[in-house]
Amino acid sequence: MRYAQVVLDIPTRQLDGAFCYVIPDELALEVRVGATVLVSFSRRAAVGYVVEELDAPSDSVAGGKILPIERVLAESAFDEARARVALWMAKEYACPLSEAVRPFLAPGQGYRVRKVEESGSWELQSDSSGPVDERWVCLTEEGRTFEPRKTAARQRVLLSALAEGPVRMAELSVLISGAAGVVKALEARGVVAVEARRRVRGGEETTLSSARAARPERLTSGQREALHAISSACAAAQGDVVVVDGVTGSGKTEVYLQAIEETIAQGKGALVLVPEISLTAQTVGRFRSRFGDDVAILHSRLSTGERFDQWDLARRGEAHVVVGARSALFAPVRNLGLIVIDEEHEWTYKQESSPRYHARDVAARLASEAGCALVLGSATPSLESLSRCDRGVWRGATWTRVSMPERPGTAMLPRVRIVDMAQQFQQGNRSVFSKPLVEALQAVAERREKAVLLLNRRGFATFLMCRDCGCVPECPHCSTSLTYHERTHMLMCHTCGRSWPQRAFPDPTTSCPNCGSRYMAAFGVGTQRVEDELRMVLPEGVDIIRMDADTTRAKGAHQRLLEEFDASDCAVLVGTQMIAKGLDFPEVTLVGVVNADTTLKMPDFRAAERTYELLEQVAGRAGRGERAGEVIVQTYWAGHPAIQAVARHDRDLFLAAEEADRREGSYPPYSRLANVTVWGRDAASVRRLSEALGASVRGKVDGMAGWEVLGPSDCAKAKAKDNYRRHVLVKAPEDSNLGELLGTCARELGSHAGVNIAIDVDAYDLM
Ligand code: ADP
Ligand code: ZN
Ligand code: ZN
C-alpha cells in the first residue's frame, strides 16, 4: 500500500501540516507528487495537493483511520524538489501551506470546493478559464446549410456560435450545458467536425531591430570569467550562486545566453527571470533569436489561456527555456540546470501578497533542492547579494561575485553631470528643467539624436521639501524622512511611530526647519507637465513620446511606444521608472533625470539604495552605441553619497556610507526585518490585536541577542480602503528563523473576526 502526504487547500494558519491519505490501487499510476486531488477532510470534500509519496503512513495520522484519495483532479504540476521548496516557503514566510503551493500550480486550473447555499452540500468548482481543451469544433461544408429542428434549442445555440469560425470545445461547454453530447450528435450527421490542434498562445513578434542577439565574435575577459564561474557552479550541482556584477551594457545577457546554451547541451533546462517591466519584445526577442521555439514566455500581460500554454510547453519538455517575470520561477522546467535572475536588485522580485516571498531567496532554495546553479545579474547588485558574496557562504551555498567593469568594443560609460536645483532656483529658474538640461536637450535636437528623460515618481508618501535648500524634516530618532499628514497636520515617522504636531517645527506648510525659507511645498510633478515644458524648449520636428501609467494602460501600448521611439530619427522619451530598465537603443546620447530626490526622501531604509540603483540604471541607457553619451541628474541633494557615486562611476563611495548606516541601525543585510501588519475596519479591534501581537513577539524574543521589536504603530498608510492599518516591525539576526517565530505568534493569537494579520518576512514595503 502506498500513501501520500496531501496539503489541503484550506487557507488557514491553523492547519500547519500536510495530511496522510491512502493511494487506492486504481489511482496508483495517476497520483504523483504535484497532482491536485479530491479527498475527504472533517466529513467534507476538500481539494488538496500531493507533496510527498510514502511507503508507510506518516506520523500525522496518529492512529486514526487513513482515508483514501478519491479522485485526481489535475495531473502533476510540480516535482519533489519543488514540493520541498513549497513546504519551506510556508515556514520561511509564515503563510498557510496551501498558499505556498499555489504558485506552483498550472495557470488557470485551480479547483475549489464550495458550499451550495440552498442544499448545504459541497460541490466542486474549477476556475472559469478551465483546463485548456485542445479540441476545436468547426462547421463542415454541409453544416453551413443545416437547419436544426425547431425543438433542438441547444443545437441552434451551438451552430450560431460556430458561424463565426471554429470554437474550442472547452468554451462551448461553458456556453451550452451538455455541449459534448450535442457536438457528438452533430458530428455523427456530418454537420460539425472536431479537430485536435495545438495552437500555442502567447508567442509575440516584434519589429525592434535591437531585439536580435547576434553572437559576438569574441567575449570580453569579464564575460569569459563569468561563464567559467557559472560552469563550475553548474558542475557542483548544489545550488551555488554566481553574482554577475556587470556595468550596464557590459554584455550580461550574452553571458546568460551562452550559459543556457551549455545547459541545454547537457540535456537540462533553464529558467530566466527578468523584471516584469523589461519583459519587452526586446528582451524576449534576444532569447527567441538564439533559442527559437525552445523558449516559453510567461508574464502577466498574457491571458490565462496563453499563460497555460506557455507553462505547459515547459511541463511537457517541449521548451527547455522559460523566460518570465517573478512567478515564472515556479514554472515546471524539466531537469532544471540553471536559474538566471536578471537585474536581481529589482524590487519587483518581492511579492507583496501572500506568499510574500522574494524570488531571489526562493530561487536560491530551489537551486539547492534541484541541484542546479543560480546566476544573479545586475549593474547594481543588492546589498543582500553583495554581503553574501563577501561572506562566501550563505545558507550552505557558495556565493561568488564576478565583476564585468567594461562595455565591449568602443562603447564607453557616459559622462555624468550633477545639477544642483537649489542653485537653479535661487538663480530664478522656476522651470522643471535646469539650464544645462535645456541646452543638452536642444543640442540633441540639433544633432538629430535621441534622449531619455526620467521622472522619478516612486513612493506615495507626501513629504514637504524646501525648494531653497532641499531639506525634508527627518525623525531625530530614525533618520527617516517624516511624512506629512494633511488631515491631522502632523509630521510622522512611521518607523518608530513618533509624531510631531506642526508647531514643533516652524509651520511645516510654509517654512523650512533648516533655512527658514518660506518656499516649502509638497513635492512632485507629473509626466504631463514635463511633456508640456519640453514642447516649449524643443524645436519643431522632435518626437516626444510619453511613457507612464496612463499611456501604457492598453495591451501592447508599452511595446508600441518603444517601437515608435525606435523608428523615429530624433525623439525624446519621457517616462517614469518604467523606462529606466533594460532598454538598449544605441542612438540615445542624452539621459536626463528630472528629479533624483523623490526616492531619496522615501521613508524607508532602502531609500538611498533605490535611488542609486535607479540613477545608475537610467544612466546606463546613454552611450550604448558608437557616439558618447551624457547624463544630467537634477537634484537638491548633490552631495549625497548615492548621487556622488553615480556621478563618479564609483559604487564604493555609496556602499561605504550605506553599509555603515545599515550596520549601525542593524538593518538588512546585517539583520532580518519583518513587517507584521494588522488591519481591519474597526480601529479599536485593530489597535487591540496589534498590541497583543507586539506583546506576543516581545514575550518570545525577550532577552535574545539581536532581536528588536518596534511598535505597534500606525502604518504610513494608516488607512487604506477604509481599513485601519497598524504594524509591528521585528528585527532579527541574519540566521534566525524569523518566519517560524512570527507564524507561531499569529497562530497563538488565533483568528479574530474582521481583523487580519499579514506577516511580511524580509519586507521591502514598510508602509
Ligand atoms: P547588459 O545586459 O550587461 O546591459 P547587453 O547584454 O545588453 O548588456 O549588451 C550590450 C550590447 O553589447 C548588446 O548590444 C550586445 O549585443 C553587445 N555585446 C555583448 N557582448 C558582446 C561582445 N562580446 N562583443 C561585442 N558586443 C557584445
Ligand atoms: Zn522615528
Ligand atoms: Zn530650506
Side-chain angles (χ1 to χ4, degrees):
M1 196 68 104
R2 305 263 304 155
Y3 301 85
Q5 285 290 95
V6 176
V7 167
L8 298 177
D9 192 52
I10 302 173
T12 162
R13 284 205 186 85
Q14 310 304 331
L15 282 185
D16 63 342
F19 292 84
C20 190
Y21 288 86
V22 174
I23 303 176
D25 287 341
E26 66 274 19
L27 294 181
L29 292 175
E30 278 180 79
V31 175
R32 284 275 162 271
V33 166
T36 303
V37 295
L38 189 68
V39 295
S40 161
F41 180 76
S42 287
R43 277 186 284 281
R44 55 166 276 198
V47 171
Y49 313 106
V50 178
V51 291
E52 200 182 349
E53 287 176 67
L54 302 169
D55 293 322
S58 71
D59 297 341
S60 70
V61 178
K65 183 171 175 293
I66 309 181
L67 298 170
I69 286 176
E70 287 167 16
R71 250 168 80 190
V72 174
L73 299 171
E75 60 183 300
S76 172
F78 53 87
D79 60 6
E80 285 86 356
R82 289 176 173 92
R84 289 193 297 272
V85 172
L87 297 179
W88 169 82
M89 280 172 70
K91 279 211 172 73
E92 180 75 2
Y93 299 113
C95 70
L97 268 170
S98 60
E99 282 177 8
V101 171
R102 276 223 188 99
F104 292 91
L105 301 177
Q109 293 218 54
Y111 284 87
R112 280 178 308 276
V113 174
R114 278 274 162 80
K115 193 159 198 166
V116 183
E117 284 303 332
E118 307 89 65
S119 61
S121 64
W122 299 90
E123 85 176 4
L124 188 65
Q125 294 188 331
S126 71
D127 280 356
S128 54
S129 63
V132 174
D133 189 326
E134 287 154 21
R135 286 171 306 143
W136 288 70
V137 184
C138 60
L139 281 180
T140 59
E141 264 322 304
E142 299 108 85
R144 302 204 171 277
T145 53
F146 176 77
E147 262 303 314
R149 281 199 317 267
K150 279 204 174 58
T151 50
R154 288 188 302 169
Q155 287 190 2
R156 279 179 192 285
V157 178
L158 191 128
L159 290 170
S160 74
L162 296 179
E164 302 287 306
V167 177
R168 281 195 302 140
M169 192 64 218
E171 283 162 31
L172 289 175
S173 304
V174 175
L175 202 65
I176 305 153
S177 69
V182 182
V183 167
K184 215 173 205 160
L186 289 177
E187 191 182 11
R189 297 161 76 165
V191 174
V192 302
V194 180
E195 54 185 85
R197 60 165 124 146
R198 187 73 193 163
R199 188 187 58 134
V200 175
R201 300 156 294 179
E204 304 163 42
E205 296 303 321
T206 176
T207 64
L208 285 174
S209 52
S210 47
R212 279 185 294 277
R215 175 186 295 278
E217 279 177 18
R218 52 191 304 264
L219 296 177
T220 64
S221 63
Q223 285 175 322
R224 280 197 304 272
E225 200 191 324
L227 276 169
H228 182 76
I230 297 169
S231 294
S232 309
C234 287
Q238 55 180 24
D240 287 349
V241 182
V242 177
V243 173
V244 179
D245 178 5
V247 297
T248 50
S250 58
K252 293 184 290 294
T253 311
E254 185 59 37
V255 170
Y256 310 151
L257 291 169
Q258 297 208 11
I260 294 167
E261 278 176 351
E262 203 176 311
T263 304
I264 295 176
Q266 291 169 359
K268 296 184 174 176
L271 257 174
V272 183
L273 302 191
V274 299
E276 181 77 51
I277 207 69
S278 61
L279 197 53
T280 56
Q282 203 170 23
T283 316
V284 171
R286 289 171 80 173
F287 283 90
R288 278 236 185 282
S289 72
R290 195 66 63 87
F291 303 112
D293 286 341
D294 208 3
V295 185
I297 310 290
L298 284 168
H299 58 76
S300 64
R301 295 186 306 281
L302 298 177
S303 69
T304 310
E306 288 171 333
R307 270 212 303 282
F308 176 83
D309 283 5
Q310 296 292 315
W311 185 93
D312 203 37
L313 283 176
R315 177 167 65 176
R316 287 180 293 136
E318 285 177 31
H320 292 92
V321 184
V322 168
V323 179
R326 180 180 64 228
S327 62
L329 178 59
F330 304 100
V333 172
R334 288 204 186 174
N335 197 7
L336 193 58
L338 181 66
I339 307 173
V340 175
I341 301 185
D342 188 28
E343 312 285 7
E344 67 90 20
H345 62 276
E346 273 287 317
W347 65 322
T348 59
Y349 288 125
K350 175 68 170 63
Q351 163 127 326
E352 296 297 354
S353 58
S354 185
R356 295 178 179 80
Y357 64 92
H358 197 297
R360 186 203 302 132
D361 298 341
V362 177
R365 186 72 187 200
L366 177 58
S368 62
E369 290 290 358
C372 72
L374 170 62
V375 172
L376 302 175
S378 175
T380 52
S382 59
L383 266 73
E384 280 79 1
S385 294
L386 290 175
S387 91
R388 287 163 200 174
C389 290
D390 281 347
R391 287 169 27 178
V393 176
W394 185 73
R395 292 184 177 170
T398 304
W399 286 60
T400 314
R401 184 173 73 96
V402 180
S403 105
M404 305 206 306
E406 273 152 22
R407 291 182 170 180
T410 56
M412 300 279 286
L413 285 174
R415 189 167 78 101
V416 180
R417 246 202 299 173
I418 307 297
V419 179
D420 185 334
M421 290 305 276
Q423 234 168 48
Q424 289 284 314
F425 188 77
Q426 280 152 20
Q427 287 162 7
N429 183 357
R430 300 291 192 268
S431 153
V432 293
F433 300 127
S434 61
K435 202 155 163 279
L437 184 53
V438 169
E439 285 166 3
L441 282 164
Q442 286 167 345
V444 164
E446 210 157 283
R447 295 194 306 264
R448 307 293 298 163
E449 293 172 350
K450 290 181 189 173
V452 169
L453 270 187
L454 171 76
L455 184 68
N456 190 357
R457 290 198 49 148
R458 188 168 278 165
F460 90 101
T462 311
F463 46 81
L464 295 169
M465 190 170 90
C466 171
R467 287 213 66 180
D468 270 314
C469 73
C471 167
V472 168
E474 280 186 357
C475 174
H477 305 277
C478 309
S479 37
T480 46
S481 309
L482 296 176
T483 52
Y484 176 59
H485 293 248
E486 216 160 345
R487 207 165 33 89
T488 51
H489 295 292
M490 298 284 268
L491 287 169
M492 182 171 155
C493 171
H494 84 101
T495 303
C496 67
R498 291 181 174 90
S499 63
W500 291 264
Q502 65 180 80
R503 71 184 143 71
F505 288 89
D507 180 5
T509 58
T510 54
S511 63
C512 167
N514 182 44
C515 73
S517 160
R518 296 185 56 79
Y519 210 93
M520 266 320 252
F523 203 66
V525 286
T527 38
Q528 182 64 59
R529 162 126 178 253
V530 173
E531 184 185 339
D532 294 345
E533 289 208 20
L534 199 52
R535 287 200 193 281
M536 292 195 290
V537 301
L538 288 181
E540 294 280 303
V542 181
D543 294 323
I544 297 177
I545 295 155
R546 177 159 64 95
M547 225 160 100
D548 56 22
D550 284 339
T551 61
T552 54
R553 202 162 286 143
K555 188 172 177 178
H558 188 258
Q559 171 72 18
R560 204 169 46 247
L561 291 170
L562 287 181
E563 282 170 357
E564 216 177 288
F565 185 61
D566 191 45
S568 170
D569 73 314
C570 176
V572 180
L573 178 66
V574 182
T576 49
Q577 269 74 358
M578 64 174 73
I579 63 167
K581 324 286 173 178
L583 304 185
D584 186 9
F585 295 109
E587 316 87 1
V588 172
T589 53
L590 172 68
V591 167
V593 180
V594 176
N595 54 340
D597 304 310
T598 38
T599 37
L600 219 41
K601 305 291 189 181
M602 276 175 72
D604 184 331
F605 72 92
R606 286 192 177 88
E609 186 181 8
R610 279 185 192 153
T611 308
Y612 171 73
E613 278 164 16
L614 179 66
L615 295 179
E616 191 62 34
Q617 294 288 340
V618 74
R621 302 309 119 209
R624 293 169 81 91
E626 310 275 288
R627 279 169 287 187
E630 185 182 26
V631 180
I632 296 181
V633 178
Q634 303 190 148
T635 175
Y636 281 92
W637 204 345
H640 192 285
I643 307 267
Q644 284 298 316
V646 174
R648 303 200 207 155
H649 293 295
D650 181 0
R651 182 167 66 203
D652 290 341
L653 211 73
F654 158 71
L655 282 180
E658 186 65 18
E659 286 174 350
D661 278 358
R662 299 268 186 104
R663 229 183 255 282
E664 191 185 298
S666 178
Y667 279 110
Y670 307 107
S671 72
R672 302 187 74 180
L673 176 70
N675 178 17
V676 189
T677 308
V678 179
W679 53 277
R681 300 223 161 199
D682 178 45
S685 333
V686 169
R687 181 166 284 275
R688 256 197 317 275
L689 189 59
S690 69
E691 301 294 340
L693 172 74
S696 161
V697 182
R698 284 200 170 86
K700 287 206 166 43
V701 309
D702 188 38
M704 279 157 59
W707 289 76
E708 193 183 342
V709 184
L710 303 169
S713 65
D714 285 347
C715 298
K717 291 185 217 168
K719 202 174 173 196
K721 295 178 191 159
D722 288 330
N723 281 308
Y724 292 92
R725 305 173 74 245
R726 283 173 67 76
H727 64 170
V728 173
L729 295 176
V730 184
K731 287 185 196 171
E734 240 270 284
D735 54 1
S736 58
N737 292 328
L738 181 53
E740 277 185 66
L741 183 132
L742 295 175
T744 308
C745 289
R747 249 194 314 282
E748 286 172 5
L749 288 171
S751 49
H752 297 254
V755 197
N756 306 280
I757 296 182
I759 301 174
D760 191 359
V761 176
D762 300 333
Y764 274 62
D765 182 353
L766 303 180
M767 307 217 240

